[in-house]
């Protein structure tokens, strides 16, 4: 999921969530998932995913790639 300039890659496994700031690290070599400064971004991404999972299957993920900030 993209949230502004960040890309979120979630996982069901604890500790495997990734968050890349594409402005700060365009090569995606450092995850900011544990950085407190990115807590709001993580919450926005999680909220977008929750919203998609609550949709009926036919409409799921239609607009998930980008989340407005």
């Amino acid at each position: 999921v993209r949230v502004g300039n960040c890309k979120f890659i979630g996982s069901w496994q604890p500790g495997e969530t990734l968050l890349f700031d594409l402005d700060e690290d365009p090569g995606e070599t450092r995850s900011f998932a544990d950085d407190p400064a990115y807590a709001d971004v993580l919450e926005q991404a999680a909220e977008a995913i929750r919203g998609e999972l609550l949709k009926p299957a036919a409409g799921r993920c239609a607009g998930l790639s980008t989340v407005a900030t």
Side-chain angles (χ1 to χ4, degrees), residues 3-25:
V3 178
N5 60 319
C6 293
K7 181 165 79 173
F8 171 82
I9 301 171
S11 172
W12 298 115
Q13 300 298 320
E16 292 185 17
T17 296
L18 300 173
L19 181 70
F20 299 110
D21 184 327
L22 302 177
D23 287 342
E24 294 290 323
D25 180 24

Side-chain angles (χ1 to χ4, degrees), residues 1-9 18-23 37-49 63-69:
V1 174
R2 299 269 318 249
V3 178
N5 60 319
C6 293
K7 181 165 79 173
F8 171 82
I9 301 171
L18 300 173
L19 181 70
F20 299 110
D21 184 327
L22 302 177
D23 287 342
Y38 288 83
D40 288 344
V41 175
L42 284 172
E43 181 54 36
Q44 288 177 39
E47 192 62 34
I49 291 169
L64 190 57
S65 63
T66 303
V67 176
T69 58

Side-chain angles (χ1 to χ4, degrees), residues 25-58:
D25 180 24
E28 300 178 15
T29 60
R30 177 177 173 224
S31 176
F32 291 86
D34 294 327
D35 188 327
Y38 288 83
D40 288 344
V41 175
L42 284 172
E43 181 54 36
Q44 288 177 39
E47 192 62 34
I49 291 169
R50 279 192 292 272
E52 288 300 313
L53 292 174
L54 294 174
K55 286 182 179 179

